[in-house]
Amino acid sequence: MGEPIFGVLGPLQVRGRARDAPVPLGGPKPRAVLATLLLQPGAFVSLDVLTEVLWPGGAPRSAVANVRTYVRALRRALTAAGVATDGLRTLPAGYALDVDPGDHDMPLFEELLDGARAARDRGDDDTALRGYDTALALWRGGVLQDLPSSVVWDPVLTRIEELRSLAVDECLQVRLRLGDYPPLIADLRKRLTEDPLREDLWQMLVRALHGAGRVTEARAAYAEAERVLAAELGVAPGAPLRATGEEINGHGHVARRRTVPPAPVCQLPMDVPDFTGRDAEVAALEELLSGAGRRPVVAVVSGQPGSGKSTLVVHVAHRVRHMFPDGQLFVDLGGMSDRPREAADVLAEMLRGLGVIDNAMPAEPGERAALLRSRLAQRRVLIVLDDAATGAQVRPLLPGTGGSAVLVSSRRRMPSLPAQQCPLGVMRRDEARALLGRIVGEDRLSVAGADADRVLTGCGSLPLAVRIAGARLANRPGWTVGALADFLHDERGRLDQLQTGELEVRASAELSYRHLPAQAATAFRAFGRLPDEAVPGWLVTVAMGRPKEPAAVPGHPGRSHHPARMTRATRPGQSDRSDQPDQRNRPNHLSRPDHPDRVLETLVDEHLVEVVGTDPLGLQRYRMHDLLRIYARELAEGDAPDVWRERGLATVDALIALARCANAAMPTRFLGVLGEAVPLPGPAAALARAVRAKPIEWFESERRVLVTTVESALRLGEHARAADLAVELAGFFDMRGYYGDWLRTHRLVLDAVPAPADARSAALLRNLGQLHLYQDRYADALAAFTRSREVFAALGHRSGEAVAGLGTGSVHRVTGDLDAALQSFTEALHASRAAGDRHWEAVADNAIASVWLERGAPDSAAPWLTHALALSRDVGDRHREAQVRRRIAVLHELRGEPQVARAELERALGIFDELTDTHCAAYVQQSIGELCLRQGDAGQASALLVGALAVQQQLGDRRAEARVACLLGELHHATGRKQTARRYFHRSLSAWRRLDVRDQAELVDAKLRSLR
């Protein structure tokens, strides 16, 4: 096989049609443009992306013109070398490069790798080995190793490097099965020098040596593996390696400790228990999904609203769960809503389901999509995307490689997607009748005779309409099927509109809504005022407002319907009851109790809402289908404006009151909560004890509702209420690392305030400064803290002034200006004492001590720490106590008392673990690891630092990640593992450069040069 024209698997390379010599491409910038296009073959690459690659520190004004010049130069160079440039397309605001897979080494590598894996899976190891060798031979070094790195490239580079590593490992496994022992042993030993903690490589080496008859060496290799793992990680070999060791040492079968693997994520909604029909569609989808393996499978189920798309895909998803052992994701894309969900938000939700937390989430949608493809590359996951709006909304959510599958439901066909199209029409008449019989009961349906067919004709065999009609009959045993058939005959004009778009949803919803009891109808409309999330029943009760007389219920008998629609029941000259079934067969709904639980049960019985689970407080949560919610919102908007506003504010106030109740019981006092407890409204008052018992769990259950409510308050023009709620959420966001929600809520409120001048705005600014500090945006943090302090000072709010001053000092300390930090901390101490706030006094004491410790003066720090610890314990702030103990540990180490320092750190770690504060616990774990490293305990230091590094990477703390990576590099350098040390140093260097911390980057670069 000849060399491809384009090569990125090594130095960037382009060969002319003769394949004889590389094509000269000019300077580094034209080469970087081509590299970016080649990393996304066929995909649109915007000018903004190219600008970021070429000028990461800030682009000149002529950037766009320069990019176009580079592209023209590339065209000329390629054409001169005989390389066709038809695939280099100029698009609005960007470019794309279409390349045949055989002409590009990266897609060719993936194609060859797929072939090798297919041969391996069918047991043809000889063919598989040739395939692996051919694929790996395309690699000439690191990806684009001759070009400066770019954060834009990172997701693709990470994915393809991971594929290469997997291919090498899979090739070694094939060679082991083929008995290619002598060269395999040499290659395995080489791999182990680069990564001595890989148990799978040790296991292959032991087996290869044993297979080659070198039993003594095999036993020695296993003993070495035991020694290395014990020294580096402080652990024994895992079960597979231990079993191999027992086998070659002749120990036979030894009882092994059983481990329970973590359960894969399963987000599928409950399957419909009475699913009926659709046999052909179910079989076709099952057969299609069963083909997922070497590459992903995508199926789009499209059809009109009410045709049962969601029900079908969920049913099929449950049937094929066993084919996807790594989990099942479910996402509602909101295609029928006023604002279909953005790809960036959906990608974030899917990545969270796969274990990525908010503050480790890439900011750009393209980076999130790349991370999702990387996470799915080696997994078999089923993804259900419900109610998609367009193909463009779905495309970023698809896997690129691997054995995953995607089921999409949508009102629209999506021919642009690389998917199998599965159009779904109405049910066959026999299927629709069977569905009605399952709901109503076959005995009751059989005696109805032709009336059953009349019902199905009135429903148009549309599954949603059939299900609603059947549910009404099942819940009203006094009705006859004929009475319902007559009713549907009168409504046929509406049901005919089921084929014309949105009106079909309204007609189907109205069929049940108009016969609800007054309070149940009010509850139905209340869902139109609530966030599009699963909500607890008490919140529905709050949104219902004070009970009204039945005549006040919009859309109910006795009052006209939604103003945008006049129905048969309200036409002049007709009775408002003329189109209902015979009243002798109709139960009296208004005689039912109006207890909120019974009201919601009525909606559940009518299939207008569904119970989606129970939250940690033991409360059932209810969700209304988006199509029904649209109708509920239209009805709610028909209320008088003062009623709409009153009930909207009632939900906001209830959530603010409960958030304050939860914050009062939180294990840590965040630097910005200013609100005082307020009386809880009736439905929420009953929750106070449960919320105080489980404040973190309550915040977690209501997080989406709370964030959306901040926006709702702003839409109502209630900036103060929105600010109150946002401030109350910051402490929880800080503890759990929900940095995206933190930034979103605070930014929204501050943007709505023309000029921050009150305590609420000052608190928001202070909170925002803390977030900027966490994410290494020091200039932004300092500006926010400074403005917050100015506002607090103008208000005479000494406690708030102290809190903002502590933030200012923290920025100065982190950036190395210790004099300014000490001054800010001292001023904050005076302000907290003036306010009589002992909590902030403890914080200030601890902060002042941190400056003296940075200066290497433990004796000067000691009295501050003693006072801070006493105050923290007096006020009962265990979180602050743990923070003080971290500083006390530093003090003891500076005094040459490492054992005492270790004991203090262990106490702090225990407190953070008890409070479930993962972030702070990782910092303490890092400190213990550093202490072990300085004391010469390399094995324990390695285990602790590796664990801390993983957490810091998840949390997105790049400064901590850079420091820990450097420490691990030093550790491996000291123990003679230069290849591993080099890898960690490179990681640290990259992080420091992205943070633009030049002095630290230069130090790490010097360490790298010393390795060379």
Side-chain angles (χ1 to χ4, degrees):
M1 181 182 66
E3 289 193 48
I5 294 175
F6 298 99
V8 298
L9 305 182
L12 178 64
Q13 177 176 279
V14 180
R15 291 187 174 274
R17 281 295 174 186
R19 304 293 210 279
D20 51 355
V23 175
L25 298 172
K29 283 192 165 45
R31 295 172 65 82
V33 170
L34 179 60
T36 306
L37 295 171
L38 287 172
L39 289 177
Q40 303 178 63
F44 168 74
V45 178
S46 69
L47 285 168
D48 289 340
V49 168
L50 291 171
T51 300
E52 175 64 25
V53 171
L54 297 175
W55 298 280
R61 292 184 179 179
S62 60
V64 172
N66 291 350
V67 170
R68 290 173 177 156
T69 300
Y70 301 146
V71 173
R72 286 196 296 270
L74 285 172
R75 286 186 191 276
R76 288 196 298 270
L78 294 173
T79 302
V83 178
T85 58
D86 296 344
L88 182 53
R89 294 180 288 124
T90 300
L91 303 171
Y95 300 90
L97 179 58
D98 300 321
V99 183
D100 187 276
D103 291 338
H104 186 346
D105 61 0
M106 187 172 73
L108 179 59
F109 165 71
E110 296 186 57
E111 186 178 283
L112 292 170
L113 181 57
D114 285 344
R117 287 172 169 171
R120 176 202 61 186
D121 292 344
R122 64 175 180 265
D124 187 354
D125 283 342
D126 289 322
T127 302
L129 182 58
R130 288 194 295 272
Y132 281 117
D133 287 342
T134 304
L136 292 169
L138 293 170
W139 287 79
R140 298 168 285 109
V143 181
L144 299 173
Q145 67 181 36
D146 61 330
L147 293 177
S149 63
S150 170
V151 294
V152 174
W153 298 346
D154 283 352
V156 179
L157 268 57
T158 300
R159 182 185 69 84
I160 200 68
E161 291 281 8
E162 287 177 355
L163 274 182
R164 179 193 191 184
S165 181
L166 283 171
V168 171
D169 292 343
E170 292 167 7
C171 184
L172 292 172
Q173 292 280 6
V174 171
R175 290 171 62 189
L176 180 62
R177 289 198 298 272
L178 290 172
D180 184 24
Y181 297 131
L184 176 61
I185 291 169
D187 288 345
L188 285 168
R189 289 195 185 280
K190 180 181 178 182
R191 291 272 283 171
L192 281 166
T193 60
E194 298 172 354
D195 200 343
L197 303 182
R198 286 275 302 276
E199 291 193 42
D200 57 336
L201 297 179
W202 281 112
Q203 185 182 12
M204 282 194 280
L205 176 61
V206 172
R207 287 196 175 279
L209 289 167
H210 191 259
R214 296 155 64 175
V215 178
T216 301
E217 292 181 62
R219 291 172 177 168
Y222 178 74
E224 184 182 358
E226 283 189 313
R227 180 186 60 77
V228 169
L229 292 173
E232 292 289 340
L233 302 178
V235 299
L241 177 56
R242 191 166 62 248
T244 300
E246 292 164 358
E247 179 183 338
I248 61 105
N249 283 301
H251 294 166
H253 297 286
V254 179
R256 303 180 179 93
R257 182 167 64 93
R258 298 180 64 186
T259 59
V260 180
V265 62
C266 179
Q267 299 177 346
L268 297 178
M270 185 177 70
D271 194 7
V272 176
D274 56 0
F275 186 89
T276 304
R278 302 295 195 189
D279 296 336
E281 291 89 345
V282 169
L285 287 169
E286 285 188 22
E287 181 179 0
L288 180 63
L289 296 174
S290 67
R294 294 189 299 275
R295 55 178 55 87
V297 168
V298 182
V300 176
V301 178
S302 58
Q304 58 187 305
S307 57
K309 303 177 295 296
S310 299
T311 302
L312 175 64
V313 298
V314 169
H315 178 70
V316 171
H318 278 282
R319 289 176 62 93
V320 300
R321 276 184 59 191
H322 64 281
M323 301 180 188
F324 303 93
D326 295 321
Q328 304 86 43
L329 300 176
F330 180 88
V331 183
D332 186 347
L333 297 180
M336 284 290 294
S337 66
D338 294 335
R339 293 169 55 191
R341 297 188 62 186
E342 296 291 339
D345 295 335
V346 177
L347 286 165
E349 179 178 332
M350 294 172 70
L351 288 168
R352 289 189 196 105
L354 295 173
V356 179
I357 64 174
D358 272 24
N359 46 343
M361 198 77 63
E364 295 297 323
E367 295 177 357
R368 292 182 180 180
L371 180 57
L372 177 68
R373 292 193 292 270
S374 177
R375 285 294 176 109
L376 294 174
Q378 300 303 318
R379 301 188 187 186
R380 290 181 62 83
V381 176
L382 176 63
I383 302 169
V384 179
L385 303 175
D386 187 36
D387 191 19
T390 63
Q393 184 189 32
V394 171
R395 186 177 291 276
L397 314 179
L398 303 181
T401 59
S404 295
V406 184
L407 264 175
V408 184
S409 73
S410 174
R411 293 179 63 191
R412 302 179 179 91
R413 296 178 184 271
M414 297 184 177
S416 63
L417 290 181
Q420 179 70 37
Q421 302 295 326
C422 305
L424 190 66
V426 298
M427 301 180 81
R428 298 198 312 267
R429 177 56 65 94
D430 60 328
E431 291 179 335
R433 196 180 194 285
L435 174 59
L436 189 61
R438 289 285 298 273
I439 300 170
V440 174
E442 285 294 342
D443 293 340
R444 186 178 178 189
L445 202 62
S446 62
V447 300
D451 285 338
D453 290 328
R454 291 174 58 216
V455 169
L456 295 175
T457 298
C459 293
S461 293
L462 197 70
L464 178 60
V466 172
R467 185 168 295 281
I468 292 174
R472 298 187 67 212
L473 283 171
N475 293 332
R476 297 162 177 80
W479 280 16
T480 66
V481 177
L484 179 60
D486 291 340
F487 178 68
L488 292 177
H489 176 76
D490 289 335
E491 294 289 336
R492 187 174 54 190
R494 298 179 204 160
L495 292 173
D496 287 342
Q497 296 181 47
L498 289 170
Q499 302 176 8
T500 62
E502 182 181 294
L503 290 181
E504 61 195 350
V505 178
R506 185 180 298 114
S508 296
E510 189 176 36
L511 186 65
S512 287
Y513 173 78
R514 290 179 60 228
H515 295 282
L516 289 173
Q519 285 298 299
T522 303
F524 180 88
R525 295 197 326 282
F527 275 90
R529 299 186 184 89
L530 295 173
D532 295 344
E533 305 289 346
V535 295
W538 69 266
L539 192 60
V540 181
T541 306
V542 172
M544 290 170 63
R546 292 186 296 274
K548 303 290 184 182
E549 293 300 319
V553 178
H556 235 242
R559 178 173 173 175
S560 63
H561 290 221
H562 189 275
R565 177 179 177 83
M566 178 168 288
T567 64
R568 291 175 57 87
T570 56
R571 289 175 187 166
Q574 290 191 346
S575 166
D576 60 3
R577 302 265 179 165
S578 63
D579 58 350
Q580 296 184 16
D582 189 337
Q583 297 302 305
R584 291 171 297 178
N585 296 324
R586 181 175 181 268
N588 183 7
H589 288 299
L590 298 181
S591 66
R592 294 187 59 176
D594 286 338
H595 188 277
D597 289 343
R598 298 297 297 275
V599 170
L600 285 169
E601 285 177 10
T602 300
L603 294 182
V604 172
D605 290 341
E606 294 286 341
H607 299 284
L608 295 175
V609 298
E610 60 177 337
V611 178
V612 294
T614 303
D615 62 29
L617 272 65
L619 303 175
Q620 283 191 327
R621 301 188 75 83
Y622 300 86
R623 183 188 294 276
M624 179 177 283
H625 191 285
D626 282 348
L627 303 179
L628 295 174
R629 193 185 295 275
I630 292 170
Y631 181 60
R633 186 173 295 121
E634 290 178 352
L635 292 172
E637 289 171 351
D639 287 333
D642 59 332
V643 173
W644 170 271
R645 180 176 178 81
E646 173 195 337
R647 295 179 181 178
L649 292 180
T651 61
V652 176
D653 289 342
L655 288 169
I656 292 173
L658 275 177
R660 287 179 175 167
C661 179
N663 263 324
M666 286 282 277
T668 175
R669 183 178 174 189
F670 184 70
L671 306 180
V673 176
L674 299 175
E676 298 179 356
V678 294
L680 290 165
L687 295 179
R689 179 178 297 179
V691 170
R692 282 193 291 266
K694 296 182 176 180
I696 299 175
E697 291 83 352
W698 182 80
F699 273 124
E700 192 68 65
S701 298
E702 305 296 350
R703 177 172 66 92
R704 293 178 179 276
V705 173
L706 290 163
V707 170
T708 306
T709 302
V710 173
E711 300 175 6
S712 299
L714 289 174
R715 284 196 296 271
L716 289 167
E718 291 291 331
H719 296 167
R721 283 179 164 96
D724 282 343
L725 186 53
V727 167
E728 296 296 335
L729 295 176
F732 169 69
F733 291 158
D734 181 36
M735 173 171 279
R736 285 300 176 90
Y738 289 125
Y739 291 173
D741 288 339
W742 187 349
L743 180 63
R744 177 184 176 189
T745 53
H746 282 55
R747 196 69 270 166
L748 278 173
V749 180
L750 285 171
D751 287 347
V753 178
D758 60 3
R760 293 183 179 92
S761 299
L764 289 168
L765 285 166
R766 205 233 71 87
N767 296 351
L768 204 55
Q770 190 70 26
L771 178 59
H772 289 321
L773 179 60
Y774 285 163
Q775 298 186 323
D776 307 309
R777 297 190 291 267
Y778 303 121
D780 292 338
L782 189 60
F785 286 137
T786 302
R787 180 59 181 143
S788 172
R789 188 178 180 185
E790 291 170 352
V791 174
F792 276 130
L795 296 170
H797 197 305
R798 299 308 303 275
S799 183
E801 191 178 349
V803 174
L806 288 166
T808 302
S810 296
V811 177
H812 290 314
R813 181 177 60 79
V814 170
T815 55
D817 190 348
L818 297 182
D819 290 336
L822 186 59
Q823 180 180 347
S824 294
F825 291 149
T826 303
E827 291 172 355
L829 176 64
H830 295 326
S832 62
R833 286 176 175 171
D837 196 323
R838 302 174 71 211
H839 175 87
W840 300 128
E841 185 179 349
V843 176
D845 286 343
N846 193 38
I848 291 171
S850 72
V851 176
W852 289 113
L853 293 174
E854 289 272 357
R855 289 175 168 172
D859 293 339
S860 298
W864 298 105
L865 290 172
T866 301
H867 193 236
L869 183 61
L871 279 176
S872 299
R873 303 184 76 173
D874 285 348
V875 300
D877 189 343
R878 300 199 66 217
H879 196 278
R880 183 56 47 190
E881 177 188 344
Q883 295 284 17
V884 174
R885 290 193 181 278
R886 284 184 62 204
R887 302 274 192 242
I888 293 174
V890 177
L891 180 146
H892 285 296
E893 190 178 6
L894 287 173
R895 287 177 170 175
E897 300 166 344
Q899 297 306 317
V900 182
R902 175 71 178 268
E904 289 291 344
L905 288 172
E906 294 289 356
R907 290 191 188 99
L909 183 60
I911 294 174
F912 287 135
D913 284 341
E914 183 181 336
L915 300 178
T916 66
D917 190 334
T918 306
H919 199 169
C920 288
Y923 283 126
V924 178
Q925 188 174 337
Q926 173 186 336
S927 298
I928 298 174
E930 292 183 52
L931 184 61
C932 291
L933 181 60
R934 288 190 287 271
Q935 297 303 310
D937 189 352
Q940 192 166 12
S942 177
L944 289 165
L945 291 174
V946 167
L949 182 64
V951 175
Q952 303 297 6
Q953 184 180 13
Q954 278 189 330
L955 294 169
D957 191 332
R958 293 177 294 172
R959 178 174 286 272
E961 183 182 349
R963 176 169 173 75
V964 176
C966 183
L967 289 170
L968 283 166
E970 293 171 354
L971 185 153
H972 288 289
H973 186 194
T975 52
R977 291 179 292 276
K978 292 188 176 181
Q979 186 67 23
T980 305
R982 184 176 293 109
R983 187 168 65 249
Y984 280 120
F985 281 142
H986 273 299
R987 183 170 177 175
S988 176
L989 179 62
S990 176
W992 286 125
R993 283 177 172 169
R994 291 181 188 179
L995 291 169
D996 198 26
V997 182
R998 297 182 182 180
D999 55 342
Q1000 292 294 332
E1002 290 172 0
L1003 288 173
V1004 178
D1005 193 37
K1007 296 177 189 295
L1008 270 172
R1009 287 197 300 271
S1010 70
L1011 285 174
R1012 303 191 187 104

